[in-house]
Amino acid sequence: MILPGSFKTAYEAIIPDLEQGVDYVRSRLSAELAEFRPVVIQVRRKEAESLYAKLQKGETASVFEVEDLIAARGVFLHTTEAQDAMATAERVFPPIEAKNVEAGKPTDFRYQQPHLICRLPSDYLARHPNLTQLKLEIQFTTYVQHALQESTHDVIYKGQRFSWREHRLDSRLRGLLEIVDDVLANVSSVANIGDEPTYELFDARNKIIEAAKKSFSGSALPDDMRRFAITAEGILQASEISPAELVELMKRHTDIAQAFSLTPVDKVLGIALRERREKLLARSKRRLFVVTPELETVVPEAKSIPADRRVQV
């Protein structure tokens, strides 16, 4: 679209101030909202063509009255995190109005993510008085809603024609993703509505996790217990040691169980080497082992693992 030269000149004159504002909003939001683990924080200034088109609608008296002259969007994994982030942002950026925070019509699935219209903080405006009248828009949305918005925005809201089918499809997708958001936010409770079905592989690994919890103190347990169980599973199966036997062996070999220099996997390996070394090496086929000097000190049997069966750390 061809823009009047007078408008382009006036807009270009404020671009440096707007870019400074964009950089500030991005860094401030990133710092203030870090605890809510944002997937991404986007900040941009309104481009000249879009700004002029909005002014032509006749709803604002000046450029700085446009609510999204600088616009930001915080994207979060779950709805609750987006809500908490919005509450925090309100304490940092003086709010003018909060939009789309009330429950919508049960039959309405338009794009209506919660967002704030606010000012820049007073400490920033004291250093940049040219932006005193600026209005800032901050949207808060979830990852799945953000993906849909990015995918459909230019087609649905900035297309070359109106299409009932496109708008209808957009609304149907938003309804589906609202359900997805609710499920993702409560995945554990939703998954556990009924009894857990029997699944031999997972049941066996859960027994290894329970054995580890009985054998090691909480501080010694890894953060990713599932990965631990998968790694320990191969060692135990090759050694023909059951999870119940592992608990008893850990009680018998307290020097291994209580060794601060060994990880839980090291301890399982140490037990297997001390109790079933030949069986472990014969049945583990091509498996490689991480053998540290600490393991060799506590469990001298580890020294017998051939060089070609070791991971080079």
Side-chain angles (χ1 to χ4, degrees):
M1 184 172 72
I2 298 176
L3 299 176
S6 57
F7 173 78
K8 290 177 63 177
T9 300
Y11 180 71
E12 289 170 1
I14 65 172
I15 286 179
D17 288 331
L18 294 180
E19 290 294 347
Q20 280 189 322
V22 165
D23 291 341
Y24 170 79
V25 171
R26 183 183 295 111
S27 61
R28 188 69 186 267
L29 283 176
S30 296
E32 297 289 346
L33 305 183
E35 65 178 295
F36 306 114
R37 302 176 300 161
V39 176
V40 66
I41 292 178
Q42 298 177 333
V43 188
R44 53 85 179 158
R45 62 176 169 84
K46 202 165 191 66
E47 294 296 335
E49 184 174 321
S50 178
L51 176 60
Y52 192 70
K54 181 161 278 192
L55 291 173
Q56 286 182 312
K57 292 175 69 176
E59 298 173 353
T60 53
S62 70
V63 166
F64 285 101
E65 284 296 306
V66 174
E67 292 182 342
D68 59 346
L69 188 54
I70 291 180
R73 181 186 295 172
V75 181
F76 303 87
L77 288 178
H78 303 131
T79 305
T80 52
E81 292 165 342
Q83 293 170 341
D84 292 341
M86 185 172 182
T88 295
E90 279 188 287
R91 294 193 291 269
V92 177
F93 296 89
I96 298 171
E97 183 183 5
K99 295 187 174 182
N100 296 335
V101 293
E102 301 295 333
K105 294 179 181 179
T107 55
D108 189 359
F109 293 99
R110 293 172 297 170
Y111 180 71
Q112 45 188 5
Q113 296 303 311
H115 60 278
L116 290 175
I117 307 300
C118 45
R119 303 283 187 191
L120 292 169
S122 57
D123 60 335
Y124 181 81
L125 292 178
R127 303 189 303 275
H128 303 276
N130 290 346
L131 296 180
T132 299
Q133 298 304 314
L134 180 135
K135 292 182 178 180
L136 166 69
E137 179 188 271
I138 311 176
Q139 294 186 6
F140 302 85
T141 190
T142 63
Y143 201 11
V144 293
Q145 293 287 347
H146 172 67
L148 177 62
Q149 180 67 5
E150 290 290 282
S151 299
T152 64
H153 184 266
D154 288 349
V155 174
I156 302 298
Y157 300 100
K158 294 186 178 181
Q160 296 298 313
R161 56 185 295 277
F162 290 94
S163 169
W164 182 92
R165 288 194 177 114
E166 289 175 355
H167 278 263
R168 179 64 173 171
L169 178 59
D170 181 62
S171 295
R172 292 164 67 192
L173 288 172
R174 292 193 186 283
L176 288 172
L177 293 189
E178 185 175 305
I179 295 173
V180 171
D181 268 335
D182 288 343
V183 171
L184 291 177
N186 301 281
V187 64
S188 294
S189 58
V190 172
N192 291 323
I193 290 176
D195 293 334
E196 184 82 14
T198 299
Y199 184 54
E200 186 175 343
L201 178 62
F202 286 179
D203 292 344
R205 289 175 178 173
N206 284 332
K207 289 178 181 178
I208 295 173
I209 290 174
E210 293 305 314
K213 290 179 178 179
K214 292 177 182 178
S215 301
F216 312 133
S217 65
S219 60
L221 294 173
D223 293 331
D224 190 342
M225 291 297 292
R226 289 182 295 184
R227 176 176 292 181
F228 160 78
I230 292 170
T231 303
E233 180 181 46
I235 298 171
L236 294 173
Q237 286 179 348
S239 308
E240 295 185 346
I241 297 174
S242 70
E245 287 178 303
L246 178 64
V247 173
E248 295 306 313
L249 291 173
M250 284 294 176
K251 292 178 181 178
R252 187 188 310 168
H253 301 286
T254 55
D255 60 324
I256 296 177
Q258 298 176 7
F260 290 107
S261 59
L262 302 182
T263 69
V265 170
D266 291 334
K267 294 177 181 181
V268 173
L269 177 57
I271 290 291
L273 285 168
R274 189 174 286 181
E275 289 283 334
R276 314 272 173 87
R277 180 173 59 87
E278 295 299 332
K279 185 170 289 187
L280 169 66
L281 296 178
R283 287 170 51 84
S284 56
K285 298 180 181 179
R286 297 180 180 179
R287 181 185 180 122
L288 301 179
F289 300 94
V290 175
V291 181
T292 63
E294 291 84 355
L295 179 60
E296 290 182 333
T297 298
V298 179
V299 186
E301 291 86 348
K303 296 177 182 178
S304 65
I305 297 179
D308 62 351
R309 301 290 301 277
R310 298 184 180 213
V311 176
Q312 300 300 314
V313 180

